[in-house]
Amino acid sequence: KPLPHSHLEEIIPYQAGKPIEELAREKGLKTISKLASNENPLGPSRKCIKAIEKNLSNLNRYPDMNGYDLKEKLSNHHKIPPEKIILGSGSEGVMTYIAKAFLGVGDEVLTSSNSFIGFYIIAKTSGANLKLISPTESNQFDMETIEQSITPKTKIIYLANPNNPTGTIITKNEIEKLLEKCPSNILIIMDEAYFEYAEDYEEYPNSLNYDYPNIITLRTFSKAYGLASLRVGYGIASPDIVTTLAKVKPPFEPNLLGQVAACEALKDKEHIKKGIIENKTEYERLFKYLVDKKLSPIPSFTNFVTFYTKSAENSDWLFNQLLDQGVIIRKLGANNMHDFIRISIGTKKEMDHFYESFDKISDEFQKKMRG
């Protein structure tokens, strides 16, 4: 039989949060709250939906391979030249282009051990070696150790900021220290999928403010813009890096509906603002609830909160108990955080469903935490 690359044997495929339809079939439930995939519970802007409807009759046509309109909108939005923008099928699409263009067998990728599992998989498929640095006691990226761990083999440093699944950030001071010390031949990936939720915090660094030729910033329309199913993301980097990535990018990504919807999403600033405000309100309510339950939630700059369960067994028990009541949360075993659970922030109604469901099993769960 045909044999794949040997380095693929150890890779476990990415596991997404359980779909609503699947749980409905399994449990026969009618009320389901999916709080597992960090999606925007408000959904997309009405302007996006109208743009999609308008273009449904064009599904027989290929999309603009160069994404001219979307690049122009992004250029105006960020006040950067279009030549610095590469579009992709989600920000993971751009990660894949980076791996194809910059990584090979034996190359070294440096990042934290409690970060985005999707990037780990992409890096490993290229045959690169992942050097994972343990987080600090407060679940932050240990930037000092990452800086000290750079070797001549290091090709890429991956920094998710804010980080998934912890919700923590790397501060301006920490980023600036790394940029001062990092050799210019190492590509620094700044994955800012949750940028819109964190940008107003004073200590949060917008990587576009740092003009270094070895930085690529990744952004997405999947989170705050509510277009997860359309898979639209982009990278911002020097024209040289963008030109290199274009050589390995498959044609016609993102798709037509994704491109037109993303253009409209950028225009609807009120929709984004509403989503950020509602997320902050529900975040504060969720964080207080978890503190009251003595579950040690990690302060988050995103649309999700991760908390401590003490053991993998407790995580499994809680996941299954809530699943039986129609609440889908996320276990973090794939991130090697077996003793943590992540909850995405939903609508008020969805969060009420979570609180009601958790309250029913709270006493028993507290006994498990003590025992």
Side-chain angles (χ1 to χ4, degrees):
K1 64 179 182 179
L3 294 176
H5 289 301
S6 58
H7 61 259
L8 297 181
E9 291 181 9
E10 64 178 47
I11 297 174
I12 300 171
Y14 183 84
Q15 297 294 317
K18 183 179 279 288
I20 292 172
E21 297 80 9
E22 184 179 326
L23 181 61
R25 287 194 303 269
E26 288 177 359
K27 307 282 186 182
L29 297 166
K30 292 185 178 178
T31 301
I32 296 175
S33 298
K34 186 185 178 190
L35 305 175
S37 299
N38 305 340
E39 296 152 338
N40 182 344
L42 294 184
S45 157
R46 286 298 307 170
K47 293 179 181 178
C48 297
I49 295 171
K50 287 179 181 178
I52 290 169
E53 290 171 346
K54 184 179 176 182
N55 281 274
L56 287 175
S57 60
N58 295 324
L59 295 184
N60 58 316
R61 304 297 181 190
Y62 288 106
D64 176 5
M65 193 175 95
N66 297 310
Y68 178 86
D69 287 343
L70 181 52
K71 282 184 180 178
E72 282 294 311
K73 297 287 190 304
L74 287 168
S75 173
N76 293 331
H77 183 73
H78 293 297
K79 297 177 175 55
I80 55 170
E83 294 76 24
K84 296 186 74 173
I85 301 169
I86 181 92
L87 302 178
S89 182
S91 51
E92 294 95 333
V94 184
M95 289 178 199
T96 303
Y97 313 155
I98 293 169
K100 285 181 180 179
F102 289 95
L103 290 178
V105 176
D107 287 334
E108 187 176 89
V109 177
L110 193 54
T111 188
S112 182
S113 63
N114 63 339
S115 196
F116 179 46
I117 188 72
F119 176 76
Y120 297 167
I121 294 170
I122 289 167
K124 286 179 180 178
T125 57
S126 68
N129 297 322
L130 270 178
K131 185 186 278 190
L132 300 178
I133 305 303
S134 297
T136 66
E137 286 186 10
S138 57
N139 295 289
Q140 310 275 347
F141 271 53
D142 186 342
M143 295 300 290
E144 190 173 328
T145 303
I146 286 174
E147 180 190 308
Q148 293 168 353
S149 301
I150 295 171
T151 73
K153 287 187 176 181
T154 306
K155 290 289 292 289
I156 287 176
I157 298 175
Y158 172 79
L159 305 173
N161 197 30
N163 184 43
N164 176 20
T166 62
T168 55
I169 63 168
I170 303 163
T171 65
K172 288 177 181 176
N173 185 48
E174 289 172 322
I175 288 292
E176 287 162 11
K177 282 183 178 178
L178 176 69
L179 291 173
E180 285 174 13
K181 302 276 181 71
C182 184
S184 60
N185 64 319
I186 295 174
L187 182 65
I188 300 175
I189 301 175
M190 296 297 303
D191 183 355
E192 296 178 351
Y194 299 91
F195 169 81
E196 291 80 10
Y197 295 105
E199 63 176 315
D200 289 337
Y201 290 93
E202 186 178 348
E203 65 268 44
Y204 177 73
N206 176 353
S207 62
L208 297 184
N209 292 333
Y210 300 96
D211 189 19
Y212 284 74
N214 59 327
I215 293 179
I216 181 165
T217 298
L218 304 185
R219 300 273 176 87
T220 184
F221 286 90
S222 296
K223 304 302 180 186
Y225 289 98
L227 297 176
S229 69
L230 292 180
R231 314 306 303 125
V232 187
Y234 58 100
I236 298 173
S238 70
D240 286 345
I241 289 176
V242 168
T243 298
T244 298
L245 296 180
K247 294 176 181 178
V248 298
K249 177 184 182 294
F252 310 119
E253 290 188 355
N255 64 63
L256 169 66
L257 300 184
Q259 289 189 39
V260 298
C263 285
E264 293 303 315
L266 285 170
K267 294 179 189 175
D268 197 344
K269 292 180 171 53
E270 285 304 310
H271 183 76
I272 285 287
K273 186 178 178 182
K274 181 183 178 185
I276 301 299
I277 290 171
E278 292 194 14
N279 179 79
K280 186 169 175 52
T281 299
E282 289 304 321
Y283 165 78
E284 289 170 355
R285 192 162 70 117
L286 173 60
F287 197 84
K288 183 181 184 303
Y289 179 87
L290 295 172
V291 168
D292 289 345
K293 295 289 184 183
K294 298 180 172 55
L295 294 175
S296 304
I298 302 170
S300 173
F301 292 79
T302 62
N303 63 341
F304 60 84
V305 177
T306 294
F307 66 88
Y308 185 53
T309 64
K310 208 170 184 179
S311 70
E313 290 76 18
N314 288 349
S315 293
D316 289 340
W317 184 87
L318 181 59
F319 175 84
N320 289 318
Q321 288 292 319
L322 291 175
L323 207 61
D324 286 342
Q325 299 182 70
V327 178
I328 310 171
I329 56 176
R330 187 65 175 255
K331 294 189 291 181
L332 299 175
N335 300 81
N336 204 28
M337 295 175 68
H338 300 274
D339 47 354
F340 285 86
I341 283 284
R342 191 189 72 194
I343 306 173
S344 303
I345 296 168
T347 61
K348 184 180 185 302
K349 183 178 179 181
E350 289 171 330
M351 298 312 295
D352 286 343
H353 185 195
F354 164 72
Y355 301 134
E356 290 163 9
S357 301
F358 195 101
D359 283 344
K360 291 176 184 176
I361 59 171
S362 179
D363 290 345
E364 192 172 351
F365 185 65
Q366 294 295 340
K367 286 178 186 176
K368 289 181 176 294
M369 290 284 284
R370 290 192 295 270

